[in-house]
Structures are given as structure tokens and as C-alpha cells.
Amino acid sequence: MKKKAACSEHADLSPTGITCPECTEGEIVPTRGRFGLMWACSARPKCKFWLKARPTGKHCKHKRNRKTCGALMMEGTKTIPERCSDKECPNHNSHKLKA
């Protein structure tokens, strides 16, 4: 059985240095999940925080309900720009927002 070749998009699998926004104890690190690469808190299994894309370290500045979202921003893809990690935030699908 042959191993899959390393994908160029996953070339940088170094820890991010970003503190977990949920537990504030762990750091966001790359891990292999059931469906491929994901970014999770290093304090697992105690903390269940995870992201499907590499976090940038910035926080979302989108206003909703007269408050700033504040969730971590994730790297985008070729067609989708940087986006919010909170699925409830309109900036999660920033490519669908009206300019």
C-alpha cells in the first residue's frame, strides 16, 4: 500500500503560537482528524476547541447585534478570502457578503 504524497498546502504544520480562545491554557496546533488536517487546542481532550483551517491570529471585527464578533479569523483559499471561525457570524462566508 502506497502512502499519499505530502500535499503542498499542508507544508507548514508548525504550531501557530495562538492561545486557545476557549480554555486560554492550550495553544492551537495542527492535528490529523478523521477527515484530514484540522487545527485544535493542545489541551485536548479537556478542551474541545478546533478549526478546519489555519488561524491567522487576528480577530473578527464584524459588527453584529451592536457588538464586535471577536472570534478567530481563519486563512482563506484561492477563491474565498480570510474568514471568521464562528459559523453564526456573517463574515464566516465573507465571499457572500454584499460589498
Side-chain angles (χ1 to χ4, degrees):
M1 194 151 119
K2 291 184 179 182
K3 288 186 178 180
K4 290 184 180 179
C7 191
S8 61
E9 67 184 63
H10 303 312
D12 181 25
L13 293 179
S14 58
T16 60
I18 300 169
T19 306
C20 176
E22 294 224 351
C23 70
T24 65
E25 294 174 18
E27 176 183 346
I28 306 297
V29 295
T31 60
R32 299 259 177 226
R34 181 175 171 190
F35 299 106
L37 184 68
M38 66 181 211
W39 301 84
C41 180
S42 61
R44 288 178 72 202
K46 189 171 109 178
C47 178
K48 303 285 186 192
F49 183 80
W50 67 276
L51 297 170
K52 57 185 170 184
R54 184 180 180 96
T56 61
K58 299 175 190 172
H59 294 276
C60 181
K61 294 183 171 118
H62 189 78
K63 297 268 187 191
R64 61 180 183 171
N65 301 333
R66 291 186 257 163
K67 290 185 178 181
T68 304
C69 175
L72 277 175
M73 295 294 283
M74 301 184 297
E75 285 183 353
T77 61
K78 290 180 184 178
T79 57
I80 300 172
E82 183 179 58
R83 59 198 223 159
C84 182
S85 61
D86 183 4
K87 292 179 183 176
E88 300 295 320
C89 180
N91 201 20
H92 180 70
N93 289 319
S94 55
H95 59 289
K96 294 183 179 179
L97 286 176
K98 293 181 180 179

